[in-house]
Amino acid sequence: MRRPVIAGNWKMYKTIPEALEFVRQFKPLVVSVTRCEIIIAPPFTALKQVADRLEGTNVQVASQDVAAEPGPGAFTGEVSATMIKDAGARWAIIGHSERRQLYCETDDSVNAKIRAALGADLNPIVCVGERLEDRDQGRAQMVVDAQITAGMHNLTASEASRIILAYEPVWAIGTGRTATPEIAQEMHWFIRSRLKGMFGEGVSENTRILYGGSAKPENVEGLLNQPDIDGGLVGGGSLDPEIFAKVVHIRESR
Ligand code: PEP
């Protein structure tokens, strides 16, 4: 049985006081949640304080990125996996489409970041997903296949088993357009079959694969009901504690 996960990606939103106010309001809203894992990814500046406030609760913390270099070293502007762990996070989002599109992240850098995270005992949440033109040209599976093959290249099955994957079609992120449950399920099934080919049945069956892309309480139920969708990575819908808690409870009560 795969334990469901709902993760929130705050992107470049929330100052430290805003982040702590979210935590204050959110904690009691999800205190009864036991089946669903909950993860929040604040900006780096708020990571430590948010993690401190959430210590001992059922809400874990992720960073939104991680340096590819294990460090320490002369890498101005980068934050190492060890530093992220030190700030109290257990997870790191890697290869988000905004980083791929706006900051030249490649499958090779994704692979290096996965290694750096695993090396510091930080668990990766690895994002994959096709652009609209890929889907329109019938290349959606080919693109996602290439991202997984190169991004998870040369990992052992035991390393791969520590990864959560997030399928986030680029055309659905922050656009208000959501993939239909059928489109998302088809891709999740495809990803699981690729994991089987690369790492064997155990990893394929046990890996949590999240859907991401304009998910909110009004549209998430059909997606979360699909057999290969194990939860969600939520951007805009995670900024408001009540809305994000609603998404968590929809998955918790399934
Ligand atoms: C995301 O940032 O991972 C995301 C899915 O964003 P949104 O929910 O806003 O589309």
Side-chain angles (χ1 to χ4, degrees), residues 9 11 96 98 168 172-175 212-215 233-237:
N9 172 20
K11 313 191 188 207
H96 190 280
E98 284 152 16
E168 302 205 304
I173 296 185
T175 58
S214 298
L233 179 54
V234 185

Side-chain angles (χ1 to χ4, degrees), residues 148-243:
I148 292 173
T149 305
M152 298 178 79
H153 176 65
N154 263 351
L155 297 182
T156 63
S158 139
E159 288 169 333
S161 71
R162 292 177 47 201
I163 293 174
I164 289 179
L165 282 170
Y167 168 57
E168 302 205 304
V170 178
W171 45 272
I173 296 185
T175 58
R177 255 183 92 173
T178 328
T180 63
E182 293 72 27
I183 287 179
Q185 165 57 26
E186 187 182 38
M187 186 62 89
H188 281 235
W189 177 87
F190 173 74
I191 292 171
R192 209 174 289 293
S193 68
R194 282 300 296 130
L195 291 176
K196 186 172 172 186
M198 288 175 78
F199 303 107
E201 178 114 36
V203 172
S204 160
E205 283 306 312
N206 291 322
T207 297
R208 276 90 59 88
I209 308 175
L210 314 183
Y211 169 79
S214 298
K216 44 185 183 294
E218 302 80 61
N219 62 22
V220 85
E221 193 149 3
L223 290 155
L224 296 181
N225 277 335
Q226 300 302 311
D228 287 298
I229 299 183
D230 304 305
L233 179 54
V234 185
S238 71
L239 293 171
D240 179 290
E242 296 205 354
I243 294 174

Side-chain angles (χ1 to χ4, degrees), residues 142-153:
M142 207 179 84
V143 167
V144 170
D145 186 7
Q147 290 171 338
I148 292 173
T149 305
M152 298 178 79
H153 176 65

